[in-house]
Amino acid sequence: MKPREIKPGIYWVGAVDWDRRLFDALIPLPDGTSYNSYFIQGSEKTALLDTVDPTMYGVLNDHLNELGIQHLDYIISHHAEQDHSGSLLRVLERFPEAKVVCSPRCKGLLIDLLMVPEEKFITVNDKETLSLGDKTLEFIYTPWVHWPETISSYLKEDKILFSCDFFGSHLATTDLYVGDEWQALEAAKRYYAEIMMPYRTTIEKNLHKIEYYPIDMIAASHGPVYNKPEIIAKAYHSWVFDEPKNIVVIPYTSMHHSTRRMVEYLVDNLTRRGVTVQQFDLSVTDPGKLAVALVEAATVVIGTPTVLAGPHPNVVTAVFLTNALRPKLRFASIIGSYGWGGRTVEILSAMMPNLKVEMLEPVLSKGVPKEADFQALDKLAAAIAQKHKESNLK
Ligand code: FEO
């Protein structure tokens, strides 16, 4: 793909990674990703906004060649994570005159992670500006999206917000701008769920901070550019600020079908009571899909058999992630089975300190579920439906 002009003098020079399937050895990327780098030609100075993943430096280099760039004044480093900074040393090698512009915290991380020489840096404060001649960048501190050092840049004359990971999406596409809105928002929601949701309270502040800027475009560091920024702004607003919905998420594992029977019974019962349910068999589930479901759910019910006197390891992983992601859940419960004992409920309950949830009566069946267990599941379904109704969840 060639460099692409998004406004006069402003070019996308990033790389689309169609084949990457895992990030941080953890996060599935079903739709690949992109590392968006932007080049700005001002009347007096030039700036490159972020680099690309080190595996794709050649693509960035080719783009800069195509544009005939001979001189670079600034490399704006919004974020020190290597998918954006990993080619920094190579770019500095090519343009030794360039200065790296970043927050003081980012400078520290770039020295720690990449050993960028101290003399290469210019650090900037929140709201500080940098003139490129006829174009002016204003730096806006937007921390914890998802690292502490991250800043965004606002190009005043063109009203473009370069937001780095904030508003990003792991989506490989030939679309420079969002084409398929449903696809873009689904990818953005997954990205929010996996990466931003744990920092929701700081994201709230960041959203408030940028609402004073007139914005024509949001150019994040992953995924297509939003030339209708209200689409992603509205979606973020809903994910961050809205009440949870009338949704129950059930991540579960079953070894000999007892827990599965309980899950299916509960799903059926909740559905008849007008509650939307999403169930995830953890032996086959993409954890990103589970994270997306947690963005708007009001209740989580964890289903597990008992193994080695506690919850199944698949469930331990899912509960660890759920606790770490800090979704806006209100209620939780545990269902499952055991053979002769165990501490499943205590262990799982202790694993959720970040979730500000009311714990509803767990249902554990000794062996296969029997009439009394199904009655207990009826009670649990009724309690969930009632709690959702009392909370006026839609
Ligand atoms: Fe896209 Fe946090 O790096």
Side-chain angles (χ1 to χ4, degrees), residues 82-365:
Q82 289 91 328
D83 51 329
H84 311 294
S85 69
S87 295
L88 192 52
L89 289 172
R90 303 282 301 273
V91 176
L92 282 170
E93 204 175 296
R94 177 171 168 181
F95 300 103
E97 72 281 7
K99 290 288 184 190
V100 178
V101 179
C102 63
S103 67
R105 212 160 178 183
C106 186
K107 174 183 169 182
L109 282 166
L110 289 172
I111 291 172
D112 288 344
L113 297 173
L114 299 172
M115 296 193 289
V116 177
E118 171 99 32
E119 66 273 14
K120 291 289 182 188
F121 289 97
I122 297 173
T123 58
V124 289
N125 295 315
D126 191 21
K127 306 284 180 66
E128 193 170 329
T129 58
L130 179 71
S131 174
L132 306 178
D134 58 348
K135 295 187 186 297
T136 314
L137 286 164
E138 179 177 334
F139 304 107
I140 307 169
Y141 276 29
T142 45
W144 294 112
V145 290
H146 54 131
W147 281 18
E149 86 298 9
T150 308
I151 61 173
S152 299
S153 294
Y154 178 68
L155 191 59
K156 290 186 172 189
E157 292 77 5
D158 296 278
K159 301 186 176 65
I160 303 176
L161 181 73
F162 296 96
S163 58
C164 198
D165 281 348
F166 196 19
F167 302 122
S169 54
H170 285 309
L171 179 60
T173 172
T174 54
D175 293 339
L176 175 61
Y177 303 111
V178 169
D180 180 335
E181 285 181 15
W182 185 90
Q183 183 196 37
L185 285 179
E186 186 66 13
K189 188 175 187 182
R190 175 186 272 260
Y191 193 87
Y192 168 81
E194 293 166 335
I195 295 168
M196 304 284 154
M197 189 158 63
Y199 310 104
R200 199 171 70 249
T201 50
T202 316
I203 305 265
E204 278 181 31
K205 290 181 193 147
N206 291 334
L207 286 172
H208 284 312
K209 203 165 179 179
I210 62 162
E211 69 191 17
Y212 299 103
Y213 293 82
I215 295 172
D216 282 352
M217 281 186 198
I218 293 179
S221 57
H222 298 285
V225 173
Y226 288 91
N227 56 355
K228 294 182 202 159
E230 63 279 5
I231 297 169
I232 188 67
K234 192 171 159 208
Y236 257 69
H237 202 276
S238 164
W239 301 332
V240 170
F241 293 105
D242 285 1
E243 294 291 302
K245 295 189 171 151
N246 181 25
I247 298 172
V248 174
V249 170
I250 308 183
Y252 75 97
T253 283
S254 189
M255 298 192 305
H256 300 293
H257 306 297
S258 293
T259 300
R260 183 190 300 278
R261 282 180 66 190
M262 296 174 77
V263 167
E264 288 170 352
Y265 185 88
L266 183 65
V267 170
D268 189 46
N269 199 318
L270 284 165
T271 305
R272 281 189 280 108
R273 293 173 189 275
V275 179
T276 299
V277 190
Q278 291 181 265
Q279 69 177 70
F280 296 93
D281 177 347
L282 295 169
S283 57
V284 294
T285 289
D286 164 353
K289 294 293 276 184
L290 173 60
V292 169
L294 290 168
V295 170
E296 290 170 316
T299 298
V300 64
V301 177
I302 297 146
T304 185
T306 302
V307 186
L308 301 170
H312 191 285
N314 287 352
V315 173
V316 170
T317 303
V319 172
F320 176 85
L321 282 173
T322 301
N323 180 63
L325 292 174
R326 299 171 183 258
K328 49 190 176 188
L329 292 163
R330 297 268 183 85
F331 310 100
S333 191
I334 298 160
I335 65 173
S337 60
Y338 63 96
W340 50 88
R343 296 175 52 245
T344 294
V345 170
E346 296 147 75
I347 292 169
L348 288 180
S349 300
M351 286 181 65
M352 299 186 267
N354 294 342
L355 303 183
K356 308 298 177 212
V357 291
E358 178 183 342
M359 188 60 84
L360 305 177
E361 188 64 30
V363 181
L364 257 66
S365 146

